[in-house]
Amino acid sequence: MSKAMICSCEDVTVDDIRHAVSRGFCDVESVKRYTGFGTGICQGKSCTAAVAALLAKEKALKPAAVVPFTPRQPLYPTELRMMASAQVDESQPPVGGLPQEVDHFPAALRPEGPVPAKAKVVIIGGGIMGLALAYNLARAGETDVVVLERGYLCAGASGRNGGGVRMQWGTPSLVELAKRSIDLMKGFARELGINVWLRQGGYIFLAKTKPVAQRLERNVSLHNRFGVPTRLITPDEARSIVPGLTMKDSLIASYNPEDGVIFPWPFLWGYAQGCQKRGVRVETYTDVTGFETSGGQVRKVKTTRGDIACDTVVLAAGAWSPQVANLVNVKLPNEPHRHEILSTEPLKPFLGPLVSVLDSGLYFSQSMRGEIVGGMGDAKEPAGLNMGSTLRFVSRFAQALMEQLPQVGHVKVLRQWAGCYDVTPDNNPILGRTPGLDNLLQMSGFVGHGFMMAPAVAERMAKWMATGESDELFTRFNLRRYSDAAGHSREFGSGTLEREDMVIG
């Protein structure tokens, strides 16, 4: 036993690191997320080497696998008002970003031994969608399931988002799914034994232009039909809910007090641990390299640790789904788009709801630890699997945030990062069977909101898979909606597709 401090910023001890290893979190990235070391004011400058040395000493990893976690900008904590002063040419698209290599996992991290030779169900993607589906399948009695994750748990978008969960959507399907998901989140700690820090402080959406205001007005009626208590509020009412909020240029706002924020990392861990307790195999650092098919079926999934014969394959790899689908000559319409985010030093609690300016895609909330966490869309962001961080983002975000909360200009940015939205042409997911490969099931295309939809989608998909009962969700959002009966591509915006218009970030 050792209470010796290894990360003084976050009060992480040697025993905390050993406990993480005992729970199966053995690499530096995973231990960071499980214990919180390296997320404080020094951003790991004083503790990274000590943690790496301890992992090597404890023989949790081979020496070649003890690699440092990804450094986060800025190098030193920097005030938002300083970041806002950086010059940005918004006429040009963003390029690059640091660090360049966040998508590479050393081969030394790969587990020893082969994957199982057979499984009834193989799920590709160990993010929130894949893990939630595996857990729900296991609950229904199907435990012959293998989940394949190319990196560590939380490496993808599920571990890189701001944790917002909301019922304020623009289509009936997503309102219904989000409402059910939040209900399931309320019981998550009781069912899975891990606290996800659900805080229902609400969401306030601001509208600066008439078209966006009309969108909010229309959606309030939709929400109320589903029992969601969204209401329109005036700028003065919004300021009474969030003191100090300027509401600059805002015409109107919508507010649902039952929306909220959760902590993303334990959400994944809870599902993963629930899977493993029921006999599901969760295989990290395992890449899918190809498929073996015959007779319109996937027969085997090929990986860097051997082949798995299977009855059903589920593609739940988020922004990487098109890459994986290409291995079996399936073309998905999804495109990955980088979305950046940052976190500040902790402050005393002052911000109840998550606030979003729908026109610009700005959003910000306050975490349970007190940090301001937020992001902002960039209309110029090109498609591509890019998870580097840019000065352009933090400058634009700081300017937009200070426009609404000028009093936070002195607050220091501690770190920034990026993840990829999995964007479809109609901003709706791709679910159900793949034409031509009947046992390849699609579960992707959630455009940044898969995290909050996962509990409800996984619940319904597991039931659909286990019972064979019809569910309109898997026909409404099937790949076939992108082509007519003759196989010709549809023109988006023609009115034939239901488009979601409440996407932010």
Side-chain angles (χ1 to χ4, degrees):
M1 298 287 288
S2 175
K3 298 297 182 184
M5 197 67 66
I6 203 164
C7 173
S8 57
C9 295
E10 295 299 315
D11 296 329
V12 178
T13 67
V14 168
D15 276 353
D16 292 330
I17 302 298
R18 287 172 174 159
H19 177 67
V21 171
S22 74
R23 298 301 296 270
F25 300 96
C26 298
D27 60 273
V28 177
E29 288 279 3
S30 298
V31 171
K32 170 193 170 185
R33 283 157 178 76
Y34 192 76
T35 64
F37 96 84
T39 63
I41 196 75
C42 86
Q43 287 297 285
K45 296 181 183 69
S46 63
C47 56
T48 302
V51 171
L54 180 60
L55 290 174
K57 181 180 178 182
E58 296 290 315
K59 296 182 171 56
L61 288 175
K62 295 174 286 188
V66 183
V67 293
F69 63 79
T70 304
R72 302 291 180 203
Q73 292 72 239
L75 183 60
Y76 300 105
T78 306
E79 292 183 349
L80 281 161
R81 59 191 172 194
M82 291 295 293
M83 293 297 196
S85 68
Q87 296 298 309
V88 170
D89 183 358
E90 296 207 38
S91 69
Q92 299 298 316
V95 294
L98 296 171
Q100 297 285 348
E101 284 285 337
V102 297
D103 197 31
H104 172 70
F105 304 109
L109 289 167
R110 190 177 301 151
E112 295 180 356
V115 290
K118 293 175 60 179
K120 189 168 183 181
V121 180
V122 174
I123 299 173
I124 302 171
I128 195 68
M129 279 291 168
L131 291 171
L133 176 62
Y135 175 74
N136 276 276
L137 285 170
R139 282 191 68 201
E142 184 50 76
T143 58
D144 188 12
V145 179
V146 175
V147 179
L148 302 175
E149 168 54 46
R150 58 190 295 277
Y152 53 90
L153 297 183
C154 298
S158 298
R160 293 173 176 269
N161 64 83
V165 293
R166 58 181 165 105
M167 306 174 212
Q168 294 190 68
W169 290 96
T171 55
S173 297
L174 294 192
V175 174
E176 186 179 22
L177 288 170
K179 189 170 185 287
R180 176 59 179 162
S181 281
I182 291 176
D183 283 343
L184 290 169
M185 289 172 192
K186 291 176 185 178
F188 195 85
R190 181 175 61 254
E191 181 175 345
L192 286 130
I194 192 166
N195 195 344
V196 294
W197 306 105
L198 173 63
R199 177 172 57 85
Q200 289 181 278
Y203 259 62
I204 295 179
F205 277 105
L206 281 55
K208 287 187 169 187
T209 59
K210 190 173 180 179
V212 175
Q214 290 172 338
R215 191 190 315 171
L216 292 183
E217 291 170 357
R218 181 195 70 219
N219 289 342
V220 165
S221 298
L222 170 65
H223 302 163
N224 295 167
R225 291 209 315 269
F226 283 89
V228 176
T230 308
R231 68 180 190 271
L232 293 175
I233 58 176
T234 66
D236 283 344
E237 288 175 303
R239 282 189 284 262
S240 70
I241 297 170
V242 181
L245 190 65
T246 67
M247 295 295 290
K248 180 175 170 55
D249 299 329
S250 296
L251 303 176
I252 201 168
S254 67
Y255 174 54
N256 174 22
E258 295 184 2
D259 292 335
V261 178
I262 68 171
F263 190 16
W265 297 344
F267 201 33
L268 267 74
W269 301 330
Y271 277 127
Q273 291 170 15
C275 287
Q276 291 162 336
K277 285 177 182 178
R278 286 168 168 78
V280 170
R281 295 280 296 267
V282 179
E283 303 287 347
T284 55
Y285 295 106
T286 304
D287 287 282
V288 172
T289 59
F291 298 89
E292 184 177 304
T293 65
S294 65
Q297 301 272 304
V298 176
R299 304 298 180 182
K300 286 185 178 180
V301 178
K302 297 178 177 294
T303 82
T304 47
R305 296 170 55 211
D307 299 350
I308 311 175
C310 54
D311 295 337
T312 303
V313 180
V314 182
L315 181 50
W320 285 264
S321 292
Q323 276 191 354
V324 178
N326 279 339
L327 297 173
V328 71
N329 296 318
V330 172
K331 303 300 180 185
L332 297 182
N334 319 33
E335 282 188 337
H337 283 258
R338 171 175 59 180
H339 281 251
E340 300 186 58
I341 191 169
L342 62 73
S343 178
T344 72
E345 62 185 325
L347 307 171
K348 289 182 179 179
F350 76 99
L351 181 59
L354 183 149
V355 179
S356 175
V357 180
L358 194 53
D359 306 74
S360 67
L362 170 74
Y363 68 92
F364 55 92
S365 65
Q366 191 171 24
S367 74
M368 293 293 287
R369 301 200 316 177
E371 306 118 323
I372 298 175
V373 179
M376 186 176 179
D378 192 330
K380 295 286 187 177
E381 182 70 46
L385 285 166
N386 183 354
M387 292 194 292
S389 296
T390 64
L391 178 61
R392 171 193 175 102
F393 157 72
V394 73
S395 176
R396 293 178 68 247
F397 175 85
Q399 292 173 28
L401 177 63
M402 289 172 60
E403 180 181 83
Q404 295 300 329
L405 285 177
Q407 68 269 33
V408 301
H410 69 286
V411 177
K412 294 182 176 69
V413 177
L414 291 191
R415 62 189 179 277
Q416 63 181 109
W417 65 96
C420 286
Y421 276 20
D422 184 20
V423 180
T424 58
D426 56 352
N427 287 340
N428 276 310
I430 297 175
L431 298 168
R433 300 192 184 279
T434 304
L437 285 172
D438 196 53
N439 69 334
L440 175 59
L441 307 184
Q442 300 290 337
M443 196 184 193
S444 66
F446 282 88
V447 199
H449 50 270
F451 179 80
M452 63 184 81
M453 301 293 175
V457 173
E459 180 184 59
R460 287 176 64 170
M461 190 160 183
K463 182 180 179 181
W464 175 67
M465 291 171 64
T467 67
E469 294 178 7
S470 177
D471 187 325
E472 63 86 26
L473 194 66
F474 305 103
T475 53
R476 174 187 295 271
F477 294 127
N478 193 284
L479 261 175
R480 294 185 187 277
R481 77 183 187 270
Y482 293 118
S483 60
D484 60 26
H488 301 119
S489 296
R490 282 181 176 167
E491 292 295 327
F492 297 104
S494 65
T496 56
L497 294 175
E498 180 183 55
R499 184 176 180 82
E500 177 55 58
D501 61 7
M502 286 287 285
V503 176
I504 62 171

